[in-house]
Short mmCIF file of all heavy atoms in Angstrom, two decimals:
data_model
loop_
_atom_site.label_atom_id
_atom_site.label_comp_id
_atom_site.label_asym_id
_atom_site.label_seq_id
_atom_site.Cartn_x
_atom_site.Cartn_y
_atom_site.Cartn_z
N LYS A 545 -29.33 -9.25 17.18
CA LYS A 545 -27.88 -9.00 17.44
C LYS A 545 -27.29 -8.14 16.38
O LYS A 545 -26.39 -7.28 16.68
CB LYS A 545 -27.20 -10.43 17.26
CG LYS A 545 -27.55 -11.34 18.49
CD LYS A 545 -26.70 -12.49 18.36
CE LYS A 545 -26.93 -13.41 19.66
NZ LYS A 545 -26.09 -14.75 19.69
N LEU A 546 -27.85 -8.10 15.09
CA LEU A 546 -27.41 -7.11 14.10
C LEU A 546 -27.57 -5.64 14.61
O LEU A 546 -26.76 -4.75 14.57
CB LEU A 546 -28.03 -7.28 12.87
CG LEU A 546 -27.44 -8.45 11.92
CD1 LEU A 546 -28.38 -8.63 10.66
CD2 LEU A 546 -25.95 -8.31 11.64
N LYS A 547 -28.83 -5.41 15.11
CA LYS A 547 -29.23 -3.97 15.56
C LYS A 547 -28.35 -3.70 16.82
O LYS A 547 -27.98 -2.47 16.97
CB LYS A 547 -30.59 -4.00 15.96
CG LYS A 547 -31.60 -4.10 14.71
CD LYS A 547 -33.03 -4.00 15.14
CE LYS A 547 -33.98 -3.93 13.98
NZ LYS A 547 -35.46 -3.93 14.30
N LYS A 548 -27.94 -4.55 17.67
CA LYS A 548 -27.27 -4.28 18.94
C LYS A 548 -25.75 -4.16 18.70
O LYS A 548 -25.23 -3.19 19.20
CB LYS A 548 -27.57 -5.43 19.90
CG LYS A 548 -26.82 -5.25 21.23
CD LYS A 548 -27.04 -6.45 22.10
CE LYS A 548 -26.18 -6.38 23.37
NZ LYS A 548 -26.33 -7.44 24.36
N ASP A 549 -25.14 -5.07 17.94
CA ASP A 549 -23.75 -5.17 17.87
C ASP A 549 -23.05 -4.57 16.58
O ASP A 549 -21.84 -4.38 16.54
CB ASP A 549 -23.26 -6.56 18.10
CG ASP A 549 -23.77 -7.08 19.47
OD1 ASP A 549 -23.69 -6.34 20.48
OD2 ASP A 549 -24.25 -8.26 19.54
N TRP A 550 -23.84 -4.57 15.43
CA TRP A 550 -23.16 -4.37 14.17
C TRP A 550 -23.52 -2.94 13.78
O TRP A 550 -24.67 -2.39 13.94
CB TRP A 550 -23.70 -5.27 13.14
CG TRP A 550 -23.34 -6.74 13.43
CD1 TRP A 550 -23.68 -7.46 14.42
CD2 TRP A 550 -22.51 -7.62 12.59
NE1 TRP A 550 -23.16 -8.79 14.34
CE2 TRP A 550 -22.43 -8.82 13.25
CE3 TRP A 550 -21.82 -7.25 11.35
CZ2 TRP A 550 -21.63 -9.93 12.70
CZ3 TRP A 550 -21.00 -8.43 10.82
CH2 TRP A 550 -20.92 -9.57 11.51
N VAL A 551 -22.61 -2.29 13.06
CA VAL A 551 -22.94 -0.96 12.50
C VAL A 551 -23.55 -1.13 11.20
O VAL A 551 -23.12 -1.92 10.26
CB VAL A 551 -21.53 -0.10 12.27
CG1 VAL A 551 -21.83 1.24 11.74
CG2 VAL A 551 -20.87 -0.01 13.65
N HIS A 552 -24.70 -0.25 10.95
CA HIS A 552 -25.47 -0.37 9.72
C HIS A 552 -25.19 0.81 8.75
O HIS A 552 -25.20 1.92 9.26
CB HIS A 552 -26.92 -0.52 9.97
CG HIS A 552 -27.79 -0.66 8.88
ND1 HIS A 552 -29.02 0.05 8.84
CD2 HIS A 552 -27.61 -1.20 7.67
CE1 HIS A 552 -29.60 -0.21 7.58
NE2 HIS A 552 -28.73 -0.90 7.01
N VAL A 553 -24.95 0.53 7.54
CA VAL A 553 -24.81 1.57 6.61
C VAL A 553 -25.81 1.36 5.31
O VAL A 553 -25.88 0.25 4.77
CB VAL A 553 -23.39 1.58 5.99
CG1 VAL A 553 -23.24 2.74 4.90
CG2 VAL A 553 -22.40 1.85 7.08
N ASP A 554 -26.58 2.34 4.97
CA ASP A 554 -27.45 2.31 3.84
C ASP A 554 -26.99 3.38 2.85
O ASP A 554 -26.99 4.53 3.09
CB ASP A 554 -28.93 2.64 4.32
CG ASP A 554 -29.95 2.44 3.15
OD1 ASP A 554 -29.58 2.56 1.98
OD2 ASP A 554 -31.10 2.10 3.52
N MET A 555 -26.58 2.90 1.62
CA MET A 555 -25.89 3.83 0.72
C MET A 555 -25.96 3.56 -0.67
O MET A 555 -26.07 2.28 -1.02
CB MET A 555 -24.31 3.98 1.18
CG MET A 555 -23.49 4.93 0.47
SD MET A 555 -21.80 4.97 1.06
CE MET A 555 -21.91 5.80 2.58
N ASP A 556 -25.81 4.50 -1.49
CA ASP A 556 -25.55 4.23 -3.00
C ASP A 556 -24.04 4.24 -3.11
O ASP A 556 -23.41 5.29 -3.12
CB ASP A 556 -26.19 5.37 -3.77
CG ASP A 556 -27.62 5.35 -3.92
OD1 ASP A 556 -28.21 4.30 -3.59
OD2 ASP A 556 -28.33 6.37 -4.20
N PHE A 557 -23.47 3.01 -3.21
CA PHE A 557 -22.04 2.91 -3.25
C PHE A 557 -21.57 3.06 -4.65
O PHE A 557 -22.01 2.55 -5.65
CB PHE A 557 -21.59 1.46 -2.71
CG PHE A 557 -22.00 1.21 -1.35
CD1 PHE A 557 -23.21 0.66 -0.99
CD2 PHE A 557 -21.03 1.38 -0.41
CE1 PHE A 557 -23.55 0.40 0.28
CE2 PHE A 557 -21.39 1.10 1.07
CZ PHE A 557 -22.61 0.53 1.32
N THR A 558 -20.35 3.86 -4.70
CA THR A 558 -19.65 3.78 -6.11
C THR A 558 -18.39 2.83 -5.93
O THR A 558 -17.93 2.26 -6.96
CB THR A 558 -19.04 5.21 -6.40
OG1 THR A 558 -18.42 5.70 -5.25
CG2 THR A 558 -20.21 6.02 -6.79
N SER A 559 -17.98 2.62 -4.67
CA SER A 559 -16.83 1.73 -4.51
C SER A 559 -16.90 1.09 -3.07
O SER A 559 -17.23 1.81 -2.11
CB SER A 559 -15.41 2.38 -4.67
OG SER A 559 -14.45 1.57 -4.33
N LEU A 560 -16.78 -0.21 -2.95
CA LEU A 560 -16.63 -0.86 -1.62
C LEU A 560 -15.55 -1.93 -1.88
O LEU A 560 -15.67 -2.89 -2.76
CB LEU A 560 -17.87 -1.42 -1.12
CG LEU A 560 -17.90 -2.15 0.17
CD1 LEU A 560 -19.19 -1.99 1.01
CD2 LEU A 560 -17.48 -3.69 0.15
N SER A 561 -14.48 -1.91 -1.04
CA SER A 561 -13.41 -2.98 -1.16
C SER A 561 -13.03 -3.37 0.30
O SER A 561 -12.90 -2.50 1.17
CB SER A 561 -12.20 -2.43 -1.91
OG SER A 561 -12.50 -2.25 -3.18
N ALA A 562 -12.92 -4.71 0.51
CA ALA A 562 -12.41 -5.10 1.81
C ALA A 562 -11.01 -5.85 1.43
O ALA A 562 -10.96 -6.74 0.61
CB ALA A 562 -13.32 -6.16 2.39
N VAL A 563 -10.01 -5.27 2.03
CA VAL A 563 -8.55 -5.65 1.64
C VAL A 563 -7.81 -6.32 2.75
O VAL A 563 -7.98 -5.99 3.91
CB VAL A 563 -7.81 -4.49 1.11
CG1 VAL A 563 -8.36 -3.94 -0.20
CG2 VAL A 563 -7.79 -3.37 2.24
N ASN A 564 -7.17 -7.44 2.39
CA ASN A 564 -6.33 -8.27 3.36
C ASN A 564 -4.81 -7.85 3.25
O ASN A 564 -4.14 -7.98 4.11
CB ASN A 564 -6.55 -9.66 3.19
CG ASN A 564 -5.89 -10.54 4.22
OD1 ASN A 564 -5.84 -10.18 5.45
ND2 ASN A 564 -5.35 -11.76 3.82
N PHE A 565 -4.45 -7.38 2.01
CA PHE A 565 -3.17 -6.86 1.68
C PHE A 565 -3.19 -5.42 1.29
O PHE A 565 -4.23 -5.01 0.69
CB PHE A 565 -2.45 -7.80 0.62
CG PHE A 565 -2.00 -9.08 1.09
CD1 PHE A 565 -2.84 -10.18 1.02
CD2 PHE A 565 -0.65 -9.20 1.58
CE1 PHE A 565 -2.31 -11.35 1.55
CE2 PHE A 565 -0.21 -10.47 2.09
CZ PHE A 565 -1.10 -11.63 2.03
#
Side-chain angles (χ1 to χ4, degrees):
K545 290 184 178 180
L546 282 176
K547 289 181 179 180
K548 177 185 176 183
D549 301 317
W550 297 64
V551 179
H552 178 217
V553 179
D554 184 335
M555 182 182 285
D556 289 339
F557 296 88
T558 51
S559 176
L560 182 148
S561 291
V563 294
N564 191 32
F565 282 90

